[in-house]
Amino acid sequence: EGQLMGWDEHIMLIAHCVHKYSDQMVIVGNTGSNNTYEAIRATEQGFAVGMDVALQINPYYGKTSSEGMIAHFEKVLDLGPCIIYNVPGRTGQDIPPEIIEPLAKNKNLVGIKECMGTKRIKYYETHGIACWSGNDDQSHDSRHEGRSHGVISVAANVIPKTMRKLMDSPQPELNKKLKVFFDWLFCEPNPIPLNTIMPMLGLAKPVFRLPYVPLNLDQREKGLQLF
């Protein structure tokens, strides 16, 4: 729910995660912004309280030119290690390879979280640019056919060991079985189904911020049947 949080809440959450999980790498989304100044300030503060890597999104709604997008990412890359997150379904604008490839020369570009499918991921990996799938339902093929580094996953919040198994070795039958769960997990915009199922399984408290509301009873019952 990062987009529903204020910047002070962001920094407090990052600091809490660093304090609790300082023995692991802390990669933080939502320090990005469609406002370059805000992205810089939030990312600076995130690094100041101990995050290891920032997940940076391209400017959304107030979209910019290719040159403007490169300039935006160059500013945040100057601050420290970053993964660029390409999700046109949310931002309304693709980040194509002709933008990523010049940025890949920057030592702070860790890689790409890519939602444009296995073909795009395979292209990056064969050109020496680390890439993680951003789509759970495509992540198996992206890993074992596209040679991705793995997946930055929604489903892993609920079934982490299963998602790890899916990444560690080819599991076509398991991947096929998981399709029903993946479909349910995106029956409404993410993270609504995830935020609904986690309290139902005792993994989180049932707290929602508007405009998110829980799935209806029929949807919840269908979700429980999957477990």
Side-chain angles (χ1 to χ4, degrees):
E1 296 184 346
Q3 63 271 28
L4 306 184
M5 297 168 59
W7 288 120
D8 288 346
E9 290 177 305
H10 275 295
I11 303 308
M12 286 174 20
L13 180 59
I14 295 168
H16 169 74
C17 291
V18 170
H19 176 72
K20 190 169 180 63
Y21 301 106
S22 58
D23 60 329
Q24 302 179 49
M25 181 175 289
V26 178
I27 302 173
V28 178
N30 295 304
T31 66
S33 175
N34 61 343
N35 177 325
T36 304
Y37 174 76
E38 280 191 347
I40 291 171
R41 291 290 298 140
T43 303
E44 285 177 335
Q45 292 171 5
F47 282 127
V49 298
M51 76 177 180
D52 297 300
V53 182
L55 187 67
Q56 295 286 345
I57 202 163
N58 51 308
Y60 47 88
Y61 186 73
K63 296 183 290 186
T64 185
S65 63
S66 296
E67 291 79 6
M69 205 184 301
I70 290 172
H72 172 87
F73 283 127
E74 284 176 338
K75 288 291 186 182
V76 292
L77 282 165
D78 284 344
L79 304 175
C82 292
I83 295 173
I84 291 177
Y85 180 17
N86 184 33
V87 55
R90 289 189 178 270
T91 66
Q93 188 173 25
D94 184 26
I95 312 174
E98 51 263 34
I99 289 177
I100 294 298
E101 288 175 313
L103 295 171
K105 299 174 184 177
N106 190 305
K107 62 182 177 59
N108 283 330
L109 182 65
V110 175
I112 315 298
K113 177 183 177 182
E114 181 59 70
C115 293
M116 290 297 286
T118 298
K119 184 177 180 180
R120 174 78 63 87
I121 288 171
K122 186 174 183 178
Y123 175 85
Y124 284 136
E125 290 287 355
T126 56
H127 286 76
I129 301 172
C131 206
W132 289 264
S133 174
N135 299 324
D136 287 308
D137 62 341
Q138 299 176 348
S139 63
H140 177 268
D141 292 347
S142 292
R143 171 72 177 131
H144 302 295
E145 296 176 17
R147 308 311 301 170
S148 76
H149 276 53
V151 58
I152 299 178
S153 169
V154 176
N157 286 279
V158 184
I159 50 169
K161 290 182 179 179
T162 303
M163 291 304 296
R164 180 59 191 260
K165 185 177 181 180
L166 207 64
M167 295 297 99
D168 282 348
S169 62
Q171 302 281 342
E173 289 304 313
L174 175 60
N175 186 52
K176 185 177 180 180
K177 289 179 182 178
L178 286 172
K179 184 181 185 305
V180 178
F181 177 56
F182 292 151
D183 288 346
W184 180 88
L185 202 54
F186 293 90
C187 67
E188 296 287 0
N190 179 52
I192 293 169
L194 175 65
N195 284 2
T196 301
I197 196 66
M198 290 185 73
M200 292 169 65
L201 297 176
L203 300 174
K205 294 181 179 180
V207 178
F208 283 76
R209 291 190 181 193
L210 290 173
Y212 295 147
V213 295
L215 296 179
N216 63 43
L217 179 59
D218 180 61
Q219 292 169 319
R220 296 199 302 271
E221 289 176 342
K222 289 179 180 177
L224 272 185
Q225 290 172 7
L226 302 176
F227 289 88

